[in-house]
Amino acid sequence: MSGDQTMRAAQVREFGTWANVSIGEAPKLAPGAGEALIEVHAAPLNFVDLIVVAGKYQFLPKLPFTPGKGPAGVVREVGEGVTNVKPGDRVLAMAEIGGYAEYCVAPAAHCYPLPDTLSFVDAGAMSLVFDTSWFALRERARIAPGETVLVLGASGGVGEAAVQLAKAMGAKVLAGVSRPETHAAARAAGADEIIDLSRENINDSLRDQVFAVTGKRGADIVIDPLGGDYFDAALRALAWRGRLVVIGFAAGRIPSVKANYLLVKNIEVSGLQISDYRKRRPEQVAECYREIFDFYAAGKIRPPRVTTLPLGEASTGLRMIEERKAAGRVVLLPRG
Ligand SMILES: NC(=O)c1ccc[n+]([C@@H]2O[C@H](COP(=O)([O-])OP(=O)(O)OC[C@H]3O[C@@H](n4cnc5c(N)ncnc54)[C@H](OP(=O)(O)O)[C@@H]3O)[C@@H](O)[C@H]2O)c1
């Protein structure tokens, strides 16, 4: 803590780009009823933070605010009525905002105790990408062992987590990536096959590649954090009764789908937005983290590669993500 009444925190005073994130003194926080005060040791930088900072996210905080979802740290105080965590507990705190700071307040119901062997940095690196992928696979796509899962954007945070989890859940995994230098990491995450998203005429070339490794069946499940032309192409690569889960639009364009195409192929397109599950089904999010941490303890998944930065480099880290220069996850160390 910088002073008795203040702490160091990243702040956004006006919506804009990564350049609008600056470091300053913010008022000291206190947990309200049902909340926990977290001493933040690791705060992941997420692609979605750029969308929040730009003022384009579905729920926007009031200005000024401190960005940062999913920090990991130690519970220091709890508010009235909190029974699931206590001071001293090591937790992953799924806050909506506030993570890029020395302290953060989160709903206690959204704080998940960490296994002793999982470091704060690794837990922070797993947050928001493993839970998102878990909900996409288990809840929206109803994954079954032996199915084939195509993960688009498999070099990204959500994509790599989806590759690891789909493998741990017993699927055959096809990793869709654009750059040759990301093939080895996708294989190391558990991909059985690489689908090259940089090929010409993606509308045909994606389906051709998927059909070539599935005996012309197609993929049972597509996990799509990219949207745009990749969504259009992946829809054509779905198997009969296939399910495509929309997670984001990192490639830029929000695509459309013709309803008759869904009918003719007996396929489903669903969407996932993890924040609502935290608000409406906290017990299912707790179940999600139990399985993720069990997979971790059993050695079936491992934390992503991480670049750590001091709190003062928050805008640099966000810029790395925007410019696609981050290899793996970027995590801030507010106490480093
Ligand atoms: N729905 C939810 O609840 C939820 C939760 C978390 C995230 N998301 C969304 O999911 C998306 C991915 O998030 P993330 O945290 O995984 O981001 P990330 O780690 O920055 O990864 C972005 C991925 O997108 C790829 N990509 C970016 N621009 C591209 C383009 N023009 N063409 C092809 N590939 C492109 C990157 O490929 P390269 O490696 O080749 O650059 C990388 O694989 C974002 O839109 C985010 O908002 C949604």
Side-chain angles (χ1 to χ4, degrees), residues 47 51 132 153 155-158 179 226 230 247 249-250 272 274 324:
F47 188 99
I51 302 174
T132 297
S155 56
V158 170
R179 294 177 290 124
L226 300 183
Y230 305 101
I247 292 193
F249 312 101
L272 171 72
I274 184 81
R324 299 172 68 180

Side-chain angles (χ1 to χ4, degrees), residues 129-173:
V129 293
F130 274 86
D131 53 357
T132 297
S133 296
W134 188 96
F135 270 91
L137 290 162
R138 278 258 184 267
E139 155 76 9
R140 308 307 286 149
R142 308 180 302 281
I143 186 172
E147 289 196 309
T148 299
V149 178
L150 167 63
V151 178
L152 302 180
S155 56
V158 170
E160 191 189 301
V163 170
Q164 290 203 48
L165 281 177
K167 192 71 188 169
M169 291 170 181
K172 171 174 173 170
V173 184

